[in-house]
Amino acid sequence: MLATMLILNGIIGLCLLIGSIKHYEQNFSPSSVTIGLVSLISIIVFTLVFPTFTESVHGSYYSTPQLIFASIACLIIYGSFLFAQTKGYRQYFLTNTTNEDESKTHPIEINNKTFYTSLFFLLVSLGIVVLLAKTLSPTIETIIISHNLPKSLVGVIIAIIILLPEAIAAIIVAKKNRLQTSLNLALGSALASIGLTIPTVALVCILLGIPIVLGLDIKSIVLLALSVFTVMLSLSKGKSNIVYGVVLLVNLFAYMFLMIYP
């Protein structure tokens, strides 16, 4: 849930706010956002909401068959989203520009050398981010405990560090009046963080016989539903607004405030 809340409220909220401050109003494709949000909502419900209400196992757990089904559903939904984004409905995810040098939207030809070089540096960057988060974790935990704050804030800070590259990239392109690219990054990151993580963790837990708690409590479900609903309304018209960004950021602050003062 942490990653989803940070992405939906934090990254998208900052992009809408900063982009609106600089450009007043920005356009994007509502069709691309709908594809991303439909996929994300379905995955969220399968993985974070249903386990709280199922009856096969007591508590916020899935039984093994249910966990397998949810994992397969996540992979199918994420795979269909990738197909839509890269092949079937790629035109929805392209940035429309008015600049004469950028007016053409022909696919960019990428040779094998560029692809493998980019993949290599992507993996290196991911490794650096993960190691940085792991190294900083003890220090962050010490600071949190010394201020009598809940340990759950450690997870929030680590999640922020891990999501920092996507956040910086999304905000930079939003400032360049390319909000469509920002939304592609944010929603794609949210889908990957759940749609790929849950099946991987589920596989490990099934093989090792480790129970995995997936279902959220009622308060968290309400906050998550508020965030999803707000994002849906904010991105339904294809135009940004400074108010949307402010409201999303307030949602994020409310989530963190209630974590400190439950």
Side-chain angles (χ1 to χ4, degrees):
M1 178 181 174
L2 280 177
T4 304
M5 292 293 289
L6 289 171
I7 292 170
L8 292 181
N9 295 302
I11 296 179
I12 293 180
L14 281 173
C15 289
L16 293 177
L17 177 63
I18 294 173
S20 296
I21 290 175
K22 186 167 184 179
H23 302 284
Y24 180 70
E25 189 176 80
Q26 294 175 292
N27 297 323
F28 55 90
S29 168
S31 298
S32 68
V33 172
T34 301
I35 291 173
L37 287 178
V38 165
S39 304
L40 182 61
I41 292 170
S42 183
I43 289 178
I44 286 174
V45 173
F46 277 132
T47 58
L48 301 178
V49 179
F50 275 175
T52 303
F53 301 99
T54 52
E55 300 177 357
S56 298
V57 181
H58 180 70
S60 300
Y61 299 90
Y62 266 150
S63 65
T64 299
Q66 291 170 339
L67 189 57
I68 293 173
F69 171 80
S71 300
I72 294 174
C74 287
L75 292 174
I76 291 174
I77 293 171
Y78 183 68
S80 65
F81 169 77
L82 284 183
F83 171 78
Q85 188 178 45
T86 58
K87 295 290 183 181
Y89 300 91
R90 185 173 180 270
Q91 68 275 14
Y92 293 159
F93 298 86
L94 297 176
T95 300
N96 293 322
T97 61
T98 56
N99 189 303
E100 293 182 359
D101 296 331
E102 299 178 350
S103 59
K104 296 182 180 180
T105 57
H106 296 296
I108 299 174
E109 296 295 333
I110 300 177
N111 55 42
N112 290 335
K113 181 180 179 180
T114 302
F115 171 77
Y116 289 115
T117 302
S118 301
L119 179 62
F120 171 76
F121 283 108
L122 172 63
L123 295 175
V124 170
S125 300
L126 288 174
I128 292 174
V129 171
V130 172
L131 289 174
L132 178 63
K134 186 176 181 180
T135 303
L136 292 176
S137 181
T139 304
I140 295 172
E141 185 173 356
T142 301
I143 295 174
I144 293 295
I145 294 175
S146 66
H147 288 79
N148 296 319
L149 296 172
K151 286 187 178 181
S152 54
L153 282 179
V154 177
V156 174
I157 297 173
I158 295 301
I160 291 174
I161 294 173
I162 293 175
L163 292 172
L164 199 58
E166 289 96 332
I168 293 174
I171 292 171
I172 288 175
V173 293
K175 290 176 65 176
K176 294 180 179 179
N177 202 20
R178 298 176 60 188
L179 185 60
Q180 180 65 58
T181 303
S182 298
L183 296 177
N184 292 346
L185 287 168
L187 293 176
S189 178
L191 278 161
S193 65
I194 302 181
L196 296 180
T197 301
I198 295 297
T200 303
V201 173
L203 178 62
V204 173
C205 290
I206 291 173
L207 292 177
L208 300 179
I210 302 173
I212 174 176
V213 179
L214 289 176
L216 303 172
D217 56 33
I218 299 301
K219 181 180 70 177
S220 298
I221 290 176
V222 171
L223 287 171
L224 184 59
L226 173 64
S227 300
V228 171
F229 185 64
T230 307
V231 170
M232 288 176 61
L233 291 179
S234 300
L235 303 180
S236 62
K237 300 298 183 182
K239 291 186 178 181
S240 67
N241 188 302
I242 192 171
V243 177
Y244 302 155
V246 171
V247 172
L248 288 173
L249 290 174
V250 170
N251 287 347
L252 178 61
F253 293 144
Y255 170 67
M256 298 182 69
F257 177 81
L258 292 174
M259 185 178 292
I260 300 172
Y261 299 101

